[in-house]
Amino acid sequence: MSIKKTLRITLIIFSIVPIIIVSILAYQLIAGRLISIKRDNLNQLAVTNSNGLKAMVKNQQTEINLLAIQNQIYNLALYNQSLVHLTKKDDKDLLRSAMELLKKRHALYPSCSRITVYNTRFQAIASSDKSIVNTDYSDSVTLSYIKATGCAASGVSGLIKNPQLSFNDITNKVSSYCIEIGCPITTEIDGYSTIIGYIISTIDLSYFKDFLSSIKMGETGFGLVLDKSGIIVYHPDSRLIGTSIDNEKLGSLVSSYYTGKISQNGAFSYTYDNIRKIYGYSVIPELDWVLLVKQDVSEIIHLAVIIIYVLGWTVVILIIFMIFVSNKFAKSYTDPIIDLKDVMRTASDGNLEVQSNIKANNEFGELSRSFNKMLHIIKGNYNELTAMHEELITNEEQLRNNYNKIEYLAYHDILTNLPNKLAFTERVNSTLSLSPGSNKVHAVYFVDLDNFKTVNDTLGHDYGDNLLTQTAEQLLSLITSDDILARAGGDEFLIFRENLSNQREATEFGAKVIDAFKKPFNLNGEIAYVSMSIGIAIYPKNGTLTNVLIKNADIAMYKSKDTGKNKYTLFDKSMEDELNRNTIILEILRKAIENNEIYVKYQPQVNIITNKIIGFEALMRIKSAKLGELSPTEFIPIAEESGLIVELGEWILKEACRFNKNLMELGYTPYIVSVNISSVQINRTGFITMLDNVLKETSLPPRYLELEITESTIVSSITDAVTLLNSLQALGVRISLDDFGTGYSSLNYLTSMPINTLKIDKSFIDNISKNEKDSLIAEAIIHLAHSIDVEVIAEGVEFNDQLSILQAKNCDIIQGYIYSKPLNPSRLLSVLDSDKVNIKYTKKEAGLPDSGDDILSLQ
């Protein structure tokens, strides 16, 4: 094959193939991007509309909750439970007024089938549908709300047939199904909330039809709702409502969410009915529903297909054009090559006088001239060797310069031009090797900028680099020519000062550095205040090796940060011991559950009026074979910082719930067990699901579990906190606000938080009998809590005078050593075995100061 033909074919191939590849890649990228955008849109659409769906249900829940406390309904339920006695006339008036109220409320909601009041025997005692009054539903399949909620809370049932329509009457499946929204009617008997009836509103699915039918996306996109069993709650095709969706993946979305397999909201691609579709979903735990918004992929990528068609026609036109162009192009290149080939053959035969005569002004002309020049160079090979020698000398000089540059980079920081840590270590090693065992005093300073990350995050890395450069210049201005300053990395610097007169001179320099950074830096017009945390290690007191001195200075620097920043700290052996101990404690915590070194003690909580135990707080304890009993104040911060508090917190929740459930099964009066929840634990994704699983696993009724949450956990975001606490209360557990008064106490969040109890911090109780200010604060807290119907627990009560004051101020519950120290489970059981609590032990056992009366007792 000739070179001309080869070149022509090559030009065509290399011109068309890239276009084809680009076309394929463009299609893939465009289609993928379109699908990705559509997934996000469908996900957002599902989330937005699920919030609207929840709001509609919430509106009906609020309405039924308000009806439950109306006098007509409440009095009728009381009378029906024989808790009040009325004349026949009053009885009829009471029923009539209740019926009128129900009919009036029923008329306000076209989608409401009926509103009915039931007694605790499940008999209809009043209804907007008069025909069902006095009907006994105890054996009926209706009252699904009561079955769904366990008869004890406000809630929403699953999907049921509309009780007002017969099978032959069904013409519209949207109206043939309904849900029940109900609320218990309660009264206070002997201080306990007792259910005396139920009020239930039956809502047609037509209530949601207009809202759900508005969900559309293109030609193939619409919304549908499934329950946790995969039953279709809503579909644009009303014939499908009430049927089970014939797909396991779509039908199990709600159950998959509850088992933690999927998140609450999301989107996915899935082939259903042999059609690839994209689904956006949002699980609604309050209803056990999932809202799906779907659209066919074929509709989404239609635009990408059009683009490919355009590119295809473009390729065809280009092929025709390139065939014509390649012929012209190949001829212009192959003719000079053939001429040059003939000249080279003549030269190879020995005729070095031959010359190439290609006159073109392109590469071929240049090649022709180069060929003529080459023949001339061959004749003068000596000159060529000389030129090569000079080139070698030039290359050698360049290599030497490169080596010097590499050596500089190996020992210096590029940003600040300071020596780096490697150079610092070598120079300090050299200095220390000249004075081994001498009495000379040297000092290593580990300097770290406080809150440097804030400058980077708020102003940007350019400003951060500027700050580091100015910091280096400032430090250079403070040291002498004998000192060594290096950048250790990030925002850390190392300083070495030799031949100091004493330790005091070392600390004075540290103070000098701190003082020098009180003035702000100007970072390209932005003013930034920077402080320093400095650790100091003294040679030979704190080490004789460079790495040891740097390590100890680093430990001291972190001590400066932990104790307030903007200060210097001299290394002390206790710091290393503390670090080592913390490391050991961390290892103990990692295996505390596995090694059975974690256990629970329970401190009773006593009603201040009845003098009876009403509950107890579960307190985590660690007893290690290596370190013995560990104080919670020591191991809790380490557990929180390392994240191990999540695992430990789940363990104590299970242990406390299991213990309380066992008490009930043994026949004890139900008590409330309180468990402290760390901010690290409660803010971890999946906390609500974990708590729900613990309650289900231990079978403890949620109302007998109280979570103690500190103020600092919730004040960072009031909105998020309210949502979180509402989710917890939806499970049925109680909420206690712990350590109240020590944080950011504010009426703003206190009045908006769904809490049950409030714990006055021990710091106020300690001086309540000695400090009038603390006494007034305690009184104000109690009064404030009672005004919003919240109980008050005073913790840390140790003396009778504290108890007397709290009794006078109407505190509800007491917890402290005056009644009992934290008890092992067996000791607590012996206390609970008697009707009256009788706990006695010496103050020495309790860890209290001796004041004459050695016995503490609770009668």
Side-chain angles (χ1 to χ4, degrees), residues 188 755-757 782-792 812:
E188 293 288 332
I755 62 175
N756 302 102
T757 59
I782 293 170
H783 179 73
L784 172 61
H786 286 170
S787 69
I788 58 175
D789 197 24
V790 172
E791 289 187 319
V792 179
D812 300 300

Side-chain angles (χ1 to χ4, degrees), residues 56-64 109 181 201 203 207:
M56 295 178 73
V57 174
K58 186 65 176 180
N59 181 48
Q60 292 296 325
Q61 283 183 299
T62 302
E63 181 66 24
I64 208 68
Y109 299 99
I181 299 177
S201 176
I203 306 297
Y207 176 61

Side-chain angles (χ1 to χ4, degrees), residues 235-271:
H235 195 284
D237 184 354
S238 61
R239 296 173 298 177
L240 299 177
I241 295 177
T243 63
S244 178
I245 192 165
D246 57 346
N247 186 275
E248 182 179 355
K249 177 177 177 65
L250 300 179
S252 62
L253 285 175
V254 177
S255 57
S256 296
Y257 164 71
Y258 286 132
T259 56
K261 295 179 181 178
I262 64 172
S263 60
Q264 184 171 356
N265 307 304
F268 58 88
S269 300
Y270 188 63
T271 300

Side-chain angles (χ1 to χ4, degrees), residues 270-282:
Y270 188 63
T271 300
Y272 180 52
D273 288 342
N274 296 321
I275 299 174
R276 190 182 177 204
K277 307 172 188 287
I278 294 178
Y279 292 86
Y281 73 90
S282 178

